[in-house]
Amino acid sequence: MEELVIRDADVVDGSGAPSYRADVVVDRGRIVSIVKEAADAGCQRPRARRELDAEGLTLSPGFIDMHAHSDLALLRDPDHSAKAAQGVTLEVLGQDGLSYAPVDDRTLAEVRRAIAGWNGHGDDIDFDWRSVGEYLDRLDRGIAVNAAYLIPQGTVRALVVGWEDREATPEELDRMRQLIAEGMEQGAVGMSSGLTYTPGMYAKDAELTELCRVVARYGGYYCPHHRSYGAGALEAYAEMVALTREAGCSLHLAHATMNFGVNEGRAPELLALLDEALASGADISLDTYPYTPGCTTLVAMLPSWASEGGPEEILKRLADDETSERIRHHLEVIGSDGCHGVPMEWDTIEIAGVTDPALSHYVGRRLDSWATARHLLLTDRLAPSILQHVGHEENVRTIMRHRVHTGGSDGILQGAKPHPRAYGTFPQYLGTYARELGVLSLEECVAHLTSRPASRLRLPDRGLVKEGYRADLVLFDARTVAPGSTFENPRRLPTGIPHVLIDGRFVIEDGKRTEVLAGRAVRNSPM
């Protein structure tokens, strides 16, 4: 007898097709049968050792977070309800060109410092890996949800070239290509870049194109945080489209927003650019989060010249009064490349988190000047994280309707007051944008969060409620599902999602986190 039958569920299967009522039978981590309209057909109902009454609930595939910053959180927090309670069954890590593999001892120390605002310093983590494969093996020991990994181009550049603003030598480029190939062979699904973050932003297009050629050979995709989401945003998007077409590589645009005053109402221009490329054969997808503010680190706002050489060099420049004044002028008058070419408006910057308890009174406050920002960077040694209130609701809604759109939280879990998207992205899509605002139908919305990302990741047995597919499933109440997280209380869990299964095992049961660690590394299958 099979393990579980989910009875009388309203199945939204992830394909975008209309929902239907069915009994769904699960055994050994797979969906083994789907009996449609079983209660009304008068046929013999399927039986199993356990029966779950899903009357009034919607059954969908598990949600795939295409842009996650849980690289260390999955290791330090077995509970990980921030994602599991949303119905997320798979996260894509290694984002924005900076993560923790491949590294050597020097690079690991530098990266830990550089992205402490994203993931914490990592003092509570045993970094017993150096390669991509070893990191994936570490995940395979058991984590809350499944995880795939993108090779971080900035980390690779730091390992081979360092943190200097210069072109790679031919020998260094060969070494980077080798590291990308090794990472893909070990199971990475593609490569990411952070082209407003050092040292990845120092790479010219020719270098990125060569690395993308390697990714393409293994059937992976390139996921850039491109060079601007503000001034010159459309040009930056066009640059990534042209680069990946030259390389023959699939493109997935990270948190594809149009921010700052210069881009208000310009989302249709972005979509027209993408539609033209798609019509001519380009393979493009994108993700967004359903909120207007962004979230990153305060140090990321600095001009690239001020960040050259890595964290210790940044701190030296900040401590020097003359250099500090140059940084201020660049930020406030010229427009830093770290701040997307837009002159800084300090009141758009809200402190989300610090690591020094003595600075905790700054959390939740807007900045008033460069002097305050400089003080925080020096005292907290580059670790403060921020919210940046520069988005536009019209752009958010327009982009999420596009046919190649997927959902990504870009969820940073660090800090006393993180962005609510970390805990609320997927119920925000379902409850606010599908049910309340009608921007997407429920069926469309679920497809954006399940089968579309599964297709981008080339997963042959995830993303649909279909016989033979993995039983990564979510049961939610479409009438009540809603994010609990708000900007005032960002760590509250969602409501209306009573059950989440990974490989047929209950990760969330009756609205509570179980002790099950069903997540594992999801590896690329080389072509």
Side-chain angles (χ1 to χ4, degrees):
M1 184 177 289
E2 281 78 18
E3 296 170 358
L4 172 68
V5 58
I6 302 170
R7 291 212 184 280
D8 296 323
D10 293 321
V11 178
V12 176
D13 67 7
S15 70
S19 64
Y20 58 86
R21 189 177 177 87
D23 291 353
V24 177
V25 182
V26 172
D27 191 59
R28 299 180 185 179
R30 300 273 176 176
I31 299 168
V32 295
S33 68
I34 300 172
V35 182
K36 295 184 179 181
E37 307 295 344
D40 301 325
C43 61
Q44 184 170 349
R45 307 291 294 275
R47 299 179 61 194
R49 290 195 294 275
R50 176 176 177 181
E51 297 185 3
L52 178 63
D53 181 4
E55 181 72 38
L57 295 177
T58 297
L59 177 69
S60 81
F63 306 134
I64 297 175
D65 188 343
M66 286 296 287
H67 193 106
H69 289 283
S70 302
D71 307 49
L72 299 185
L74 279 166
L75 301 178
R76 70 161 56 93
D77 177 20
D79 182 84
H80 202 50
S81 287
K83 294 301 180 66
Q86 293 186 61
V88 171
T89 57
L90 171 60
E91 298 183 271
V92 184
L93 313 177
Q95 299 286 351
D96 295 328
L98 288 167
S99 189
Y100 305 95
V103 292
D104 58 13
D105 292 349
R106 170 191 63 82
T107 308
L108 176 60
E110 293 166 345
V111 169
R112 286 176 62 183
R113 172 72 63 81
I115 54 174
W118 295 353
N119 299 311
H121 288 294
D123 295 336
D124 54 345
I125 301 293
D126 178 11
F127 289 89
D128 60 351
W129 69 84
R130 293 296 180 268
S131 71
V132 170
E134 290 167 346
Y135 176 67
L136 297 179
D137 288 345
R138 175 69 178 273
L139 298 178
D140 273 339
R141 298 179 196 175
I143 48 180
V145 304
N146 296 309
Y149 189 72
L150 295 164
I151 305 165
Q153 170 260 331
T155 299
V156 170
R157 198 172 211 275
L159 177 59
V160 176
V161 180
W163 297 74
E164 290 75 37
D165 183 1
R166 65 173 177 83
E167 292 190 26
T169 67
E171 294 76 18
E172 289 168 338
L173 182 57
D174 283 344
R175 177 58 178 149
M176 286 191 284
R177 280 192 289 243
Q178 180 184 0
L179 287 168
I180 299 298
E182 290 173 356
M184 295 299 297
E185 289 169 359
Q186 292 165 7
V189 296
M191 181 181 76
S192 75
S193 284
L195 300 179
T196 65
Y197 301 129
T198 58
M201 69 191 305
Y202 299 140
K204 301 294 192 292
D205 284 2
E207 178 180 316
L208 296 172
T209 300
E210 287 304 307
L211 300 183
C212 283
R213 293 188 199 278
V214 179
V215 173
R217 288 207 306 267
Y218 292 89
Y221 67 92
Y222 182 42
C223 181
H225 165 126
H226 51 275
R227 298 191 193 274
S228 177
Y229 292 85
L234 287 173
E235 292 81 1
Y237 280 112
E239 175 191 9
M240 295 298 100
V241 171
L243 185 156
T244 48
R245 298 208 71 183
E246 172 68 20
C249 187
S250 301
L251 173 64
H252 181 84
L253 295 164
H255 38 59
T257 56
M258 292 287 286
N259 288 339
F260 301 91
V262 296
N263 289 317
E264 185 172 3
R266 298 187 70 189
E269 296 177 58
L270 166 61
L271 300 185
L273 184 157
L274 299 182
D275 284 337
E276 181 179 357
L278 288 162
S280 62
D283 181 8
I284 301 173
S285 56
L286 58 87
D287 65 69
T288 69
Y289 46 83
Y291 298 87
T292 52
C295 180
T296 186
T297 56
L298 183 57
V299 68
M301 298 293 101
L302 301 183
S304 56
W305 62 262
S307 298
E308 185 179 3
E312 291 302 323
E313 292 302 313
I314 298 172
L315 289 167
K316 289 178 185 178
R317 294 186 183 103
L318 289 169
D320 180 77
D321 289 342
E322 183 177 343
T323 308
S324 172
E325 174 57 23
R326 286 182 59 206
I327 294 172
R328 183 205 64 78
H329 180 78
H330 210 125
L331 283 166
E332 295 181 356
V333 179
I334 299 173
S336 163
D337 48 4
C339 191
H340 309 278
V342 178
M344 178 64 72
E345 297 177 356
W346 291 112
D347 62 356
T348 67
I349 304 295
E350 178 184 354
I351 299 300
V354 294
T355 59
D356 184 345
L359 301 172
S360 60
H361 59 286
Y362 283 98
V363 174
R365 286 171 50 181
R366 302 286 184 109
L367 291 182
D368 56 4
S369 65
W370 166 241
T372 304
R374 179 192 184 194
H375 168 68
L376 287 168
L377 288 167
L378 283 168
T379 307
D380 208 29
R381 297 186 64 79
L382 312 183
S385 57
I386 62 170
L387 302 184
Q388 193 170 19
H389 296 267
V390 293
H392 304 286
E393 179 66 19
E394 180 187 353
N395 286 348
V396 170
R397 296 188 192 190
T398 298
I399 294 169
M400 75 169 62
R401 293 188 183 101
H402 197 270
R403 66 187 186 280
V404 300
H405 169 267
T406 67
S409 71
D410 196 11
I412 294 174
L413 300 168
Q414 286 298 117
K417 196 171 181 288
H419 197 302
R421 69 194 186 194
Y423 284 74
T425 285
F426 294 87
Q428 176 84 333
Y429 270 119
L430 296 168
T432 302
Y433 285 91
R435 182 184 66 242
E436 295 178 7
L437 299 175
V439 175
L440 298 167
S441 71
L442 180 61
E443 289 85 355
E444 289 173 326
C445 187
V446 169
H448 286 229
L449 308 180
T450 59
S451 64
R452 287 190 188 176
S455 177
R456 166 52 71 213
L457 294 167
R458 297 195 303 115
L459 302 177
D461 57 359
R462 301 177 199 261
L464 294 171
V465 178
K466 184 176 180 179
E467 291 180 358
Y469 273 51
R470 290 181 180 271
D472 293 354
L473 301 168
V474 182
L475 280 155
F476 62 91
D477 187 336
R479 301 162 298 183
T480 64
V481 61
S485 61
T486 63
F487 286 98
E488 293 72 29
N489 296 287
R491 295 187 187 275
R492 286 199 306 217
L493 298 179
T495 56
I497 306 178
H499 304 291
V500 181
L501 295 85
I502 296 178
D503 258 8
R505 303 167 66 191
F506 283 88
V507 174
I508 300 290
E509 187 171 11
D510 295 323
K512 297 180 180 179
R513 178 72 171 92
T514 70
E515 295 182 354
V516 169
L517 294 176
R520 296 294 185 271
V522 174
R523 289 170 164 81
N524 172 55
S525 299
M527 295 177 66

